[in-house]
Amino acid sequence: MSLFEWFGLKRGDGRRRAAEAKELAGDLAGAVELYLEAGMPDDAARVLLLRADAERSVEKRIAFCASASRTAESPELRRAALGRKALLAFDLVRARGASVMRGEVLAVARELEAAGELERAADAYALLGDAESEARVLAAAGAIDRLEERLRASMTAERSQRALDVALRRIADLDRMAERREAISVAEAWMAENRDSEQVADALRGLRARLLAGPIVSIEQGGALLRCALGEEVTIGRGEATIAVASRAVSRIHVRIRRGPSGVEVEDLGTRNGTTLAGARLTAPLPVGRGVQILLGGEVPCAIAPGEERGCVVEIAGERLVAPLGDLPVGPWRIGLDRAGASAFVVLKTPPGAPPPFLGDYQLAASVELCAGDAVAATRGGTAVFRLPAADRAPAGRPPGRPPDRPKEGGPA
């Protein structure tokens, strides 16, 4: 007979009593060791949970709960430890916000579900945007009110997403059909009525970045690149003029070219340094006739000649521009500048009886707005009659859609 049996004690009673004493004395780490030596894993797990409660660090509390779940022999105690660990992990995940990885949230959601913390598991699935799993665990938890609320929210979100998808498709379809003004209206209307409009705002920014406002546009036709100055009249100057010239001798809006009673004419706008023809200062509109060579501000030569079909050709500062002084004929169509309030658009017009233009597979309306990168053909999917280079943009300092300032008589120097 052993000493323990002589005194009526079971083998391990001494370690149990020693463990209890250490626990009462607050030596929880020592108590855990002695409970394990005494073959009492559930008590060891219970003390590990007490140690978790005493910790301030969430990470250490999670570690003690995980250790308790591995140590416990009782399924109920093991599940309780796992549940506490999962709850702590969920609080940590929420505190970290956007920096948390999706896989971490999913692991916590599954741990909460396995531990029977179903409503918190639903919260975790909601963070993931997994509406199906959220509804499933809410139903398992019997949380009918929350489930109904979630289903209502889900239906509202689905309706909102469907409406957003419809708006984005509408904007994209209008863009593909070159009806950019209507596309802008659809986007602006959506943004005015909806708080969450970042996708629509991105689509609108992308459209405006490509939209041509003129008045200077480049057109590729027949392998040649044509620079055009659109508008019923064209101004030249160093400020808000149609054609900009970087010379201090030239006024902000120096001369104007337009169609007069006798044809195309050029006019000095009462500038300080003046405009001369063969040394004589211009004091009245000068008919271009077969062509003129003028000098702006006594420094900048400018040649103006009649165009092949209508308007004129302007050569200045090493650049040659066609100024149709109205709509520009391109194939069977016309390209013009359309001002609408504070905005301006480069438009493609189809005259009555002319064949319709196509942009890719889309037949275009009689008047559409052009963007950089457009390639317009006479047949569906056919070879382009003309292209607008993708790099063409509004002049620096003038946002797309904003027209240049209209000149006044006697403009400032």
Side-chain angles (χ1 to χ4, degrees), residues 79 90 106 108 145 164 175 204 263 294 296 314-315 327 355-356:
R79 184 172 181 178
F90 182 52
L106 180 59
V108 168
D145 291 342
L164 174 60
D175 186 13
L204 181 58
I294 57 177
L296 309 184
V314 179
E315 294 187 39
D327 291 341

Side-chain angles (χ1 to χ4, degrees), residues 216-257:
I216 305 297
V217 295
S218 298
I219 300 173
E220 294 178 7
Q221 187 178 20
L225 181 64
L226 186 69
R227 291 280 286 170
C228 301
L230 300 178
E232 294 294 327
E233 60 182 39
V234 169
T235 57
I236 302 174
R238 61 177 170 82
E240 291 290 336
T242 309
I243 302 172
V245 178
S247 172
R248 298 296 298 178
V250 176
S251 296
R252 291 184 63 255
I253 303 177
H254 199 98
V255 296
R256 170 170 52 201
I257 306 169

Side-chain angles (χ1 to χ4, degrees), residues 169 171-180 359 362 364:
R169 283 197 300 272
I171 293 167
D173 288 343
L174 288 168
D175 186 13
R176 282 191 283 266
M177 294 186 293
E179 296 181 29
R180 278 67 185 244
L359 190 58
Y362 292 88
L364 305 183

Side-chain angles (χ1 to χ4, degrees), residues 335-353:
I335 293 177
L337 192 63
D338 187 5
R339 290 183 172 88
S343 299
F345 302 90
V346 176
V347 297
L348 176 66
K349 306 172 185 178
T350 302

Side-chain angles (χ1 to χ4, degrees), residues 151-211:
L151 291 175
R152 283 194 298 270
S154 179
M155 291 175 63
T156 301
E158 287 177 8
R159 284 195 297 269
S160 297
Q161 185 61 49
R162 283 197 298 270
L164 174 60
D165 292 341
V166 168
L168 289 171
R169 283 197 300 272
R170 176 71 173 151
I171 293 167
D173 288 343
L174 288 168
D175 186 13
R176 282 191 283 266
M177 294 186 293
E179 296 181 29
R180 278 67 185 244
R181 206 176 316 196
E182 179 63 20
I184 290 173
S185 296
V186 170
E188 289 178 339
W190 174 272
M191 293 173 64
E193 296 177 3
N194 297 272
R195 293 181 181 178
D196 185 12
S197 54
E198 189 58 35
Q199 288 178 272
V200 175
D202 287 343
L204 181 58
R205 281 191 291 268
L207 175 57
R208 282 179 167 157
R210 295 184 294 109
L211 191 65

Side-chain angles (χ1 to χ4, degrees), residues 61-74:
R61 293 174 70 187
I62 290 173
F64 279 124
C65 289
S67 181
S69 69
R70 292 191 299 268
T71 302
E73 193 174 66
S74 163

